[in-house]
Amino acid sequence: MTPAILLLLFGAVTAALSLQIRVGTLRAPGSGFFPFYVGLLLILLAVIHLAQLWRRRGDLTRDEAGASPKTSVKRVLLFLGATLLSTGLLTVLGYSLAAFVLMTLLLYILGVRRWVHVVAIALCAAAVSYALFVLWLQIPLPTAGFGL
């Protein structure tokens, strides 16, 4: 239950902080548009997960419950740490490299260990997100001193 509560709090903080920058509309999205709606989605998913846990709280045996609560909490905290790290590196590395670092860390936390897969997926995710926000939505994102 703790990971769901942490996810709920993370979604709330993400949505609240994104309101400090211009959210905009669907036709004219601002820099806060994506983080705001991702935060709301995280809140919705956490509430659904909490409701499912509450309904099934006595039905699952330990083997059916999946990972131990200690492992789940550790994974959620690692996700939050990776997100905070990449956010801190955003102005230093620029959006593209920070997105690559974030995806690399998240894939490692999820258990993807083959470096070829990690690099390929992280590069594709960074390229697609850059194309979506900068090229298609024309949202200015932080760049490093070398233009990435």
Side-chain angles (χ1 to χ4, degrees):
M1 181 171 289
T2 305
I5 293 170
L6 287 174
L7 188 63
L8 178 74
L9 292 173
F10 183 68
V13 168
T14 301
L17 290 177
S18 69
L19 291 175
Q20 294 178 356
I21 50 181
R22 190 175 80 80
V23 175
T25 64
L26 188 58
R27 291 192 183 271
S31 298
F33 183 84
F34 186 72
F36 176 72
Y37 286 105
V38 167
L40 291 182
L41 179 64
L42 288 175
I43 292 169
L44 176 68
L45 293 173
V47 167
I48 290 170
H49 186 60
L50 283 169
Q52 288 175 341
L53 289 174
W54 184 74
R55 279 191 310 135
R56 294 187 285 150
R57 66 180 174 257
D59 295 345
L60 296 178
T61 64
R62 176 136 173 91
D63 292 337
E64 294 172 323
S68 70
K70 199 175 261 189
T71 305
S72 297
V73 170
K74 180 181 175 185
R75 186 175 280 182
V76 169
L77 291 176
L78 285 171
F79 262 65
L80 291 175
T83 305
L84 290 173
L85 177 67
S86 67
T87 302
L89 293 174
L90 191 60
T91 56
V92 176
L93 297 178
Y95 176 78
S96 299
L97 290 176
F100 175 78
V101 168
L102 176 63
M103 284 305 300
T104 301
L105 292 172
L106 294 180
L107 288 167
Y108 184 79
I109 293 166
L110 286 172
V112 180
R113 297 292 187 253
R114 295 195 58 178
W115 68 272
V116 174
H117 294 155
V118 170
V119 170
I121 294 169
L123 277 175
C124 288
V128 167
S129 65
Y130 181 84
L132 173 69
F133 294 117
V134 175
L135 302 177
W136 185 46
L137 297 175
Q138 297 178 347
I139 297 172
L141 296 173
T143 57
F146 37 89
L148 287 176

